[in-house]
Amino acid sequence: MDSSVLLTVSGPDKPGVTSSLMTVLTACGVDLLDVEQVVIHDHLTLGVLVATDLSAEALRASVSAALAEHGMDVVAAQNDGAAVRGPSSHAVVILGSPIAAEAFAAVAAALAERGGNIDAIRGVADYPLTGLELLVTVDDGDDAALRKALGAVASRYPIDLAVERSGLARRAKRVIVFDVDSTLIQGEVIEMLAAEAGREAEVAAVTEAAMRGELDFAQSLHQRVLALEGLDAEVIDRVAQSIELTPGARTTIRTLNRLGYHCGVVSGGFRQVIEPLAAQLELDFVRANTLEVVDGKLTGRVIGEVVDRPGKARALAAFAAEMGVPMEQTVAVGDGANDIDMLTAAGLGIAFNAKPALREVADATLDHPFLDAVLYMLGVTRDEIEAADAVDGGVRRVPLA
């Protein structure tokens, strides 16, 4: 067959369209080279690239006659010399509430400036955010430059962006860890404990400076914990019971468990508060600091190795090694400067409502207050989440496809 023709079929989505199309193409003796279909609000667009000896007009006439009963429009164009494209190099996820056309245009322009081509677009969510996944091809291979260019767009518009290499590397993620304070949960545990001692404002100021990276975390931790000296240990239980999860956190963990992820938390907070929550969520791994308790009272000290900025990265590596997973198949989610090493060590680092120091190094930024948006960045759609919830009310681990 000497030439190729691109057929574009569009119209109301209904059963039988694809069957009728393939029947007439069989009768025309063509070979299929590529097929792609999208349905937007019950409107079908189906593209078929075929190798054929027929002219584009002759093929269009045959297909139009066969699909007339379905009310479909058919366009055909010669495609001689056009190669079937290879796999896309990157996946770009855009999240917004909503995504303005202006913002999308800016993303497209930034991709074009990097020599990038948008190969395919699909919707991944319509609630609580609008999510679009773009498969793109960028030939220069400079991932850092691509993230910087798209990050600049995200800073100008109310959208979140994630940039990853596409293909098997993206689908092979197996381990995910979350920071706890202001990520998995709302608020900071140490400030809740300090409130029991009437020193919340003092401790909050130190926490904020540490999260911005202005203070060494280990020193700031010891300074803040000292404010807890003399408190009854029972305050730990009260604080643990008052914790509120970030919206979407339970859905996120439940869905990741179903997908076969190993989920954990790595926190600069305290094991005594976090472990009951980890048990409730059925997490596989917990690494956090330990408050010293003597005679039923907090001493104002932590014991054991401090989980600080480098300690978080070590904890992620230990968790991955325990699960037999290479680091490129890990994901880390956090919000402060203390999470920098952990996010940069992970295969995908997601900055969640994060301080500027972390945003600068993250692969993805998420500024909307819904943790389940992390799933969209991993390529899981809202429809898939809801379908799994409808079929299986419990948590059931299944292999990732």
Side-chain angles (χ1 to χ4, degrees), residues 19-33:
S19 175
S20 297
L21 173 62
M22 292 304 165
T23 298
V24 68
L25 290 179
T26 299
C28 291
V30 307
D31 292 332
L32 293 179
L33 300 178

Side-chain angles (χ1 to χ4, degrees), residues 4-50:
S4 61
V5 172
L6 177 62
L7 288 163
T8 304
V9 176
S10 61
D13 186 33
K14 60 179 68 173
V17 173
T18 303
S19 175
S20 297
L21 173 62
M22 292 304 165
T23 298
V24 68
L25 290 179
T26 299
C28 291
V30 307
D31 292 332
L32 293 179
L33 300 178
D34 198 6
V35 180
E36 193 158 329
Q37 174 179 307
V38 63
V39 177
I40 301 178
H41 289 281
D42 297 324
H43 186 89
L44 168 71
T45 300
L46 173 59
V48 184
L49 182 65
V50 300

Side-chain angles (χ1 to χ4, degrees), residues 252-388:
T252 302
I253 300 298
R254 181 175 66 245
T255 303
L256 291 170
N257 279 337
R258 285 176 175 151
L259 287 170
Y261 274 75
H262 301 289
C263 304
V265 289
V266 177
S267 174
F270 309 110
R271 294 188 69 98
Q272 293 100 319
V273 176
I274 294 169
E275 285 181 337
L277 177 64
Q280 180 188 114
L281 295 175
E282 299 185 6
L283 299 179
D284 301 307
F285 183 85
V286 176
R287 185 66 58 84
N289 295 303
T290 303
L291 291 166
E292 184 181 55
V293 179
V294 175
D295 296 330
K297 293 186 179 296
L298 301 183
T299 66
R301 295 188 293 270
V302 293
I303 56 177
E305 180 182 356
V306 171
V307 181
D308 55 6
R309 174 173 159 174
K312 283 193 166 189
R314 289 194 297 270
L316 170 60
F319 183 24
E322 182 182 328
M323 297 296 108
V325 173
M327 288 298 288
E328 58 265 26
Q329 294 180 5
T330 66
V331 181
V333 186
D335 72 307
N338 194 38
D339 298 310
I340 287 176
D341 291 6
M342 181 172 73
L343 264 66
T344 54
L348 174 66
I350 301 175
F352 180 72
N353 292 302
K355 302 297 185 292
L358 185 62
R359 295 172 61 90
E360 290 176 4
V361 303
D363 300 310
T365 59
L366 180 54
D367 290 336
H368 291 89
F370 308 108
L371 197 62
D372 48 347
V374 167
L375 297 170
Y376 311 145
M377 291 183 166
L378 296 175
V380 182
T381 71
R382 168 56 61 179
D383 286 345
E384 289 169 334
I385 296 168
E386 292 180 351

